[in-house]
């Protein structure tokens, strides 16, 4: 049997130079495979047209995986300069329907395909050189610089899969077959699905820190549970089994749908699975670049809302209480199957995975794995479990927005991988989650189970996010006024009597100053590098409230809730829009502001002078720039060569204020009421606080 298209990497080995060569090979194979996927696109319109409204056009994803390398390598301090700042801002963010993704096409002047190809070539050369020169010690750990390179490879694996879904959703006239992505040909009548008994037992999930395969941060930690016996369907639900649901008019009957599912059903006007195509001669199935008569014994591919609705419908027909499996139940089935993990495969691959034999689903009875079929591969399996952090979870510092923004109870876990899954996606411990209305190469099996579903936390437990939520919206401590409110009030007072049509809060964190400005300004933009922070502002804007845990002592926590209405901020919340952005590499659309606030930002930037040189061009004449900072320069955030102040220059003390005057006075007037000191207190626990002073300077644009 064929091997997977690209052999899985391990983090250990006996010889560092052999591992270096292996990483170089996998990097180039992955980079090239991704580029070959886009050979499906037949004309310029295919590159520039959105396959679905809540995604960028495919030109974005072609550039995105390359800019990811540059952005992450620079953030990790492994490279000192960008290759193309414009492309690295345009292609930086916009991949998971998050509310802070900017999907307004009027904001983008997409580059040509050829220019992106040339850019990808430059990135390929840069990463290859880094692989050649970077010292390598084995095993590779998640604090190793090599982890960032592996992260880029795995990130491209993810987008190989998600981009293939988008290509599958383009008009058929815009795509053509590519030999490297030929689908399976076997098809026939589906086997009768049946429930098989599953013994109970202990389930252990979570990677150890010394695991020898790459993992995303959400996979680490330890979660244990004892399951009672249950039953599970032997096969994934096939197109034929799902047909009865469609023919019964279930897409027109709200009784089978959850409230969320019914809202999606009515909004989308769906009448059948997205990849089913009605023809005069009968149903056909849309693949990447062709339609073919419906292969009834292939797994149906639907979103989680459709899968859950089918389970309700089939429960009513069968008398059993059916639902999607939990993450733990899927894992128990996988453990009982006896399947080895992907790094132990050689020439025998026990599943339709990793492009080992075809780029499409295959019959649901093709790959037995113990008593069940397709516990791994063919298509992903939806679970009923929203993704959440295991005990011991830590955010990876280089990619802090990979997982945490999905801990919102709106992203359900998919398990097992699909025919196009590679690398980490093939692992037993892999944890990927998508919005329940999201289309992936994903299907489902059902279970009849009395096992309790996991209690997914509803409170934000990310320590730093909770700390900043309290800092912005919580109580005042030791008589020190709320800092975010005080900064906004200072800015508004300094702007009194002048137009305030458009404001920017850059480095907005969890957004209090943005909401305060919105009470007086009809158009406020909040930008922050951290999606973890941005997600708080987004949830407050959309829901009006946000809950979080607050550390008290040791393992003890209290539970807090922010209520915008109680703060008098609800009525004008829609004046604010939050986006993720790099302050040192802003998109061109962020400009023409009457007011810009940069609170406690400059001493946390890689290139603060570059930020200051750039931000002045984004402020209208007569506009106001408000800078606050405690000037705590640290090489952890800013290379010493980039510090604005805090050192000797020509034998004399050189302060940050000295530098601000040198940089800004040719273009700004320093307002006479500044500089001034503004205190702030950050609560860490009930008995530990940070008490600091920020210097505030007010600069009026000449």
């Amino acid at each position: 049997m064929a091997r997977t298209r690209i052999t899985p990497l391990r983090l250990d080995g006996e010889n560092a130079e052999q591992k270096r060569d292996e990483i170089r090979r996998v990097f180039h194979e992955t980079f090239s495979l991704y580029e070959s996927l886009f050979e499906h696109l037949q004309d310029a319109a295919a590159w520039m047209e959105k396959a679905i409204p809540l995604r960028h056009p495919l030109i974005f994803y072609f550039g995105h995986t390359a800019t990811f390398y540059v952005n992450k390598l620079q953030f990790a301090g492994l490279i000192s300069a960008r290759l193309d700042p414009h492309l690295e801002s345009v292609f930086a963010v916009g991949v998971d329907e998050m509310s802070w993704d900017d999907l307004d096409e009027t904001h983008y002047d997409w580059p040509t395909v050829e220019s992106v190809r040339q850019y990808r070539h430059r990135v390929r050369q840069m990463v290859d050189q880094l692989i050649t020169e970077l010292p390598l010690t084995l095993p590779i750990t998640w604090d190793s610089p090599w982890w960032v390179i592996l992260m880029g490879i795995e990130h491209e694996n993810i987008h190989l899969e998600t981009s293939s879904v988008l290509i599958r959703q383009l008009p058929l006239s815009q795509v053509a077959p590519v030999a490297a992505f030929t689908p399976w040909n076997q098809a026939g009548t589906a086997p009768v699905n049946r429930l098989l008994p599953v013994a109970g037992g202990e389930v252990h999930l979570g990677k150890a820190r010394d695991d020898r395969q790459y993992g995303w941060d959400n996979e680490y930690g330890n979660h244990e549970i004892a399951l009672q016996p249950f039953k599970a369907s032997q096969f994934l639900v096939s197109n034929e089994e799902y047909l009865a649901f469609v023919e019964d008019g279930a897409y027109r009957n709200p009784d089978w749908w959850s409230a969320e599912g019914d809202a999606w059903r009515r909004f989308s006007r769906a009448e059948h699975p997205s990849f089913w195509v009605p023809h005069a001669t009968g149903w056909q199935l849309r693949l990447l670049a062709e339609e073919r008569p419906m292969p009834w014994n292939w797994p149906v591919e639907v979103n989680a809302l459709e899968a859950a609705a089918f389970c309700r419908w089939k429960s009513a027909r069968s008398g059993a209480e059916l639902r999607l499996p939990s993450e733990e139940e899927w894992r128990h089935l996988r453990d009982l199957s006896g399947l080895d993990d992907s790094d132990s495969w050689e020439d025998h691959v026990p599943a339709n995975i990793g492009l080992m034999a075809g780029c499409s689903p295959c019959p649901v009875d093709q790959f037995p794995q113990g008593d069940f079929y397709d516990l791994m591969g063919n298509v992903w399996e939806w679970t009923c479990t929203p993704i959440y952090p295991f005990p011991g979870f830590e955010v990876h510092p280089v990619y802090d927005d990979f997982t945490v923004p999905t801990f919102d109870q709106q992203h359900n876990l998919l398990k097992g991988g699909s025919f196009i899954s590679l690398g980490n996606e093939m692992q037993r411990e892999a944890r990927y989650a998508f919005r329940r209305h999201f289309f992936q190469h994903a299907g489902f099996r059902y279970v009849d189970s009395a096992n309790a579903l996991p209690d997914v936390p509803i409170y934000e437990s990310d320590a730093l996010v909770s700390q900043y939520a309290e800092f912005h919206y919580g109580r005042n401590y030791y008589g020190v006024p709320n800092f975010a409110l005080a900064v906004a009030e200072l800015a508004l007072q300094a702007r009194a009597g002048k137009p305030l049509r458009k404001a920017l809060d850059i480095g907005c964190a969890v957004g209090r100053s943005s909401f305060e400005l919105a009470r007086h300004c009809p158009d406020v933009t909040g930008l922050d590098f951290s999606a973890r922070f941005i997600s708080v502002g987004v949830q407050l804007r959309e829901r009006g409230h946000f809950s979080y845990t607050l550390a008290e002592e040791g393992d003890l926590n209290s539970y807090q809730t922010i209520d915008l209405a109680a703060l008098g901020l609800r009525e004008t919340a829609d004046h604010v829009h939050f986006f993720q952005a790099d302050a040192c590499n802003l998109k061109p659309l962020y400009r023409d502001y009457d007011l810009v606030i940069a609170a406690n930002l400059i001493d946390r930037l890689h290139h603060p002078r570059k930020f200051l040189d750039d931000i002045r061009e984004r402020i209208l004449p007569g506009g106001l720039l408000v800078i606050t900072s405690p000037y705590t320069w640290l090489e952890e955030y800013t290379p010493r060569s980039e510090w604005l102040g805090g050192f000797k220059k020509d034998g004399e003390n050189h302060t940050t204020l000295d530098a601000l005057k040198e940089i800004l006075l040719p273009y700004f007037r320093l307002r006479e009421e500044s500089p001034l000191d503004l205190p702030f207190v950050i609560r860490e626990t009930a008995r530990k606080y940070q008490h600091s002073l920020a210097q505030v300077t007010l600069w009026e644009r000449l």
Side-chain angles (χ1 to χ4, degrees):
M1 185 172 291
R3 302 174 63 184
T4 55
R5 184 69 59 85
I6 300 172
T7 307
L9 275 169
R10 284 179 61 92
L11 304 176
D12 58 357
E14 298 298 324
N15 185 297
E17 292 311 305
Q18 288 180 358
K19 182 61 64 176
R20 185 190 304 275
D21 290 341
E22 182 185 1
I23 293 171
R24 177 183 288 105
R25 173 183 57 76
V26 171
F27 162 69
H28 283 291
E29 288 177 348
T30 305
F31 210 82
S32 295
L33 181 64
Y34 188 70
E35 292 181 344
S36 68
L37 177 72
F38 289 82
E39 294 173 11
H40 284 94
L41 306 182
Q42 288 302 288
D43 54 36
W47 287 92
M48 304 301 172
E49 179 177 322
K50 287 186 175 186
I52 57 175
L54 290 174
R55 288 291 184 275
H56 283 302
L58 279 154
I59 187 69
F60 171 88
Y61 302 98
F62 190 54
H64 172 69
T65 59
T67 62
F68 182 91
Y69 278 105
V70 178
N71 289 331
K72 296 306 180 187
L73 290 170
Q74 187 183 57
F75 181 77
L78 297 177
I79 59 174
S80 59
R82 295 185 173 277
L83 297 184
D84 188 320
H86 175 67
L87 293 185
E88 286 144 15
S89 66
V90 167
F91 291 143
V93 180
V95 294
D96 186 38
E97 298 183 19
M98 294 301 188
S99 299
W100 56 87
D101 290 348
D102 180 15
L103 295 170
D104 184 347
E105 290 305 295
T106 63
H107 292 167
Y108 294 92
D109 181 14
W110 297 115
T112 65
V113 176
E114 182 55 32
S115 68
V116 182
R117 288 192 194 282
Q118 292 174 8
Y119 174 79
R120 286 186 61 88
H121 179 68
R122 293 170 63 200
V123 172
R124 186 194 287 257
Q125 290 180 313
M126 179 200 71
V127 177
D128 183 275
Q129 182 177 353
L130 199 58
I131 291 172
T132 299
E133 297 175 352
L134 196 64
L136 174 58
T137 301
L138 298 176
I140 298 169
T141 60
W142 96 334
D143 55 359
S144 162
W146 285 85
W147 196 267
V148 186
I149 295 173
L150 300 184
M151 182 182 287
I153 294 170
E154 294 295 348
H155 176 260
E156 197 142 48
N157 284 333
I158 294 171
H159 282 285
L160 177 76
E161 187 150 354
T162 55
S163 296
S164 72
V165 177
L166 292 177
I167 290 171
R168 199 174 174 185
Q169 293 171 306
L170 281 173
L172 195 59
S173 61
Q174 294 184 339
V175 296
V178 175
F181 299 91
T182 302
W184 284 70
N185 286 318
Q186 298 98 319
T189 302
V192 175
N193 211 351
R194 58 194 180 118
L195 290 167
L196 298 183
V198 182
E202 296 283 336
V203 180
H204 302 267
L205 295 107
K207 277 182 183 286
R209 276 278 180 249
D210 60 357
D211 193 280
R212 290 302 181 248
Q213 295 188 78
Y214 175 90
W216 297 105
D217 54 10
N218 70 73
E219 297 167 18
Y220 293 91
N222 182 54
H223 173 59
E224 300 180 2
I225 190 173
L227 291 178
Q228 300 302 312
F230 62 99
K231 297 177 181 179
S233 64
Q234 184 177 23
F235 305 104
L236 296 173
V237 172
S238 66
N239 287 313
E240 187 170 321
E241 185 175 5
Y242 197 85
L243 177 64
F245 178 66
V246 176
E247 291 183 335
D248 196 42
Y251 278 85
R252 298 186 296 275
N253 186 346
D255 293 346
W256 308 124
W257 301 80
S258 66
E260 180 186 0
D262 192 50
W264 171 81
R265 179 188 67 86
R266 288 184 283 106
F267 173 79
S268 66
R269 300 181 180 177
E271 296 184 356
H272 52 76
S274 179
F275 301 122
W276 286 22
V277 183
H279 277 259
T281 57
W283 291 106
Q284 296 204 336
L285 184 67
R286 170 64 191 271
L287 302 176
L288 256 71
E290 66 177 87
E291 292 174 2
R292 62 171 55 180
M294 183 63 69
W296 293 111
N297 59 344
W298 290 13
V300 69
E301 294 163 277
V302 292
N303 65 29
L305 303 172
E306 294 169 290
F310 176 91
C311 290
R312 295 186 192 92
W313 173 85
K314 193 169 183 70
S315 294
R317 297 296 183 270
S318 67
E321 290 294 325
L322 304 177
R323 59 166 170 79
L324 297 176
S326 67
E327 179 184 21
E328 293 89 347
E329 288 165 338
W330 174 87
R331 176 56 181 272
H332 191 47
L333 291 172
R334 170 71 194 263
D335 289 345
L336 292 174
S337 73
L339 283 168
D340 291 331
D341 218 338
S342 59
D343 63 334
S344 67
W345 305 339
E346 294 181 358
D347 291 331
H348 176 72
V349 178
N352 178 18
I353 200 165
L355 292 170
M356 68 91 176
C359 185
S360 74
C362 69
V364 297
D365 55 356
Q366 182 81 28
F367 288 96
Q369 295 159 0
D371 294 334
F372 295 85
Y373 288 73
D374 292 329
L375 294 167
M376 176 183 63
N378 209 354
V379 295
W380 291 92
E381 292 189 38
W382 283 108
T383 75
C384 63
T385 306
I387 190 171
Y388 63 96
F390 291 149
F393 167 78
E394 293 181 35
V395 175
H396 195 283
V398 176
Y399 197 0
D400 77 338
D401 54 337
F402 178 75
T403 294
V404 173
T406 65
F407 294 156
D408 58 2
Q409 298 190 312
Q410 297 179 42
H411 291 70
N412 275 31
L413 283 153
L414 299 134
K415 306 298 290 187
S418 79
F419 55 86
I420 199 172
S421 297
L422 288 163
N424 170 267
E425 298 165 312
M426 298 190 292
Q427 292 182 31
R428 179 190 300 115
E429 297 289 355
R431 298 183 87 218
Y432 293 86
F434 292 100
R435 292 183 183 271
R436 289 180 281 272
H437 66 264
F438 185 94
F439 287 107
Q440 187 65 357
H441 306 302
F444 67 102
R445 77 178 71 238
Y446 43 82
V447 299
D448 181 356
S449 174
N451 284 298
L453 296 177
D455 183 18
V456 176
I458 62 171
Y459 281 87
E460 175 58 69
S461 57
D462 182 313
L464 189 62
V465 171
S466 296
Q467 192 177 97
Y468 269 77
E470 181 70 7
F471 177 43
H472 276 230
Y473 300 96
R475 291 166 289 174
N476 296 340
Y477 297 99
Y478 301 105
V480 176
N482 181 286
F483 181 76
L485 171 59
V487 170
E489 289 178 339
L490 270 173
L492 291 167
Q493 182 180 352
R495 193 66 191 165
K498 297 181 180 180
L500 185 52
R501 295 152 296 201
K502 191 175 177 183
L504 173 65
D505 183 12
I506 187 163
C508 65
V510 294
R512 176 65 181 273
S513 294
S514 303
F515 286 119
E516 294 291 346
L517 293 178
R519 300 170 75 172
H520 305 273
C521 180
D523 185 356
V524 179
T525 299
L527 301 179
D528 201 275
F529 188 73
S530 171
R532 297 154 64 197
F533 287 167
I534 287 292
S535 66
V536 179
V538 168
Q539 290 183 59
L540 284 168
R541 183 184 186 276
E542 293 178 349
R543 306 174 191 173
H545 55 83
F546 177 81
S547 297
Y548 59 97
T549 59
L550 193 61
E552 296 294 333
E553 175 185 341
D555 293 332
L556 302 179
N557 297 294
S558 60
Y559 298 89
Q560 311 295 327
T561 297
I562 303 165
D563 185 337
L564 280 192
L567 295 169
L569 301 172
R570 186 68 171 131
E571 290 186 3
T572 54
D574 61 352
H575 294 181
V576 185
H577 294 86
F578 293 101
F579 300 101
Q580 188 181 12
D582 180 351
C584 295
N585 195 30
L586 292 177
K587 296 177 181 179
L589 66 101
Y590 300 123
R591 59 177 58 257
D592 299 331
Y593 294 105
D594 299 305
L595 170 63
V596 172
I597 290 177
N600 293 4
L601 175 69
I602 59 170
D603 58 353
R604 290 298 180 265
L605 298 177
H606 276 272
H607 304 290
R609 182 179 293 270
K610 183 177 185 300
F611 163 72
L612 293 170
D613 288 340
D614 176 67
I615 199 66
R616 69 169 185 262
E617 302 298 334
R618 301 172 185 270
I619 301 173
L620 293 171
L624 186 69
L625 171 63
V626 179
I627 296 175
T628 81
S629 176
Y631 306 148
T632 50
W633 297 103
L634 297 170
E635 289 190 281
E636 175 185 355
Y637 301 105
T638 312
R640 184 176 289 271
S641 60
E642 295 284 339
W643 290 7
L644 297 182
F647 52 81
K648 293 281 188 179
K649 182 178 180 181
D650 299 327
E652 301 295 335
N653 292 342
H654 186 71
T655 68
T656 305
L657 181 58
D658 293 332
L660 290 175
K661 290 178 179 178
E662 289 178 5
I663 297 167
L664 296 178
L665 280 180
Y667 311 96
F668 291 85
R669 177 177 70 88
L670 179 61
R671 294 277 294 260
E672 55 276 2
E673 61 265 47
S674 69
L676 57 93
D677 285 339
L678 193 63
F680 62 93
V681 173
I682 296 179
R683 180 193 189 277
E684 294 187 25
T685 70
R687 289 173 175 79
K688 185 180 180 185
Y689 299 81
Q690 301 175 28
H691 188 180
S692 307
L693 289 176
Q695 187 174 77
V696 182
T697 51
L698 307 172
W699 306 87
E700 190 173 293
R701 186 73 162 95
L702 299 177

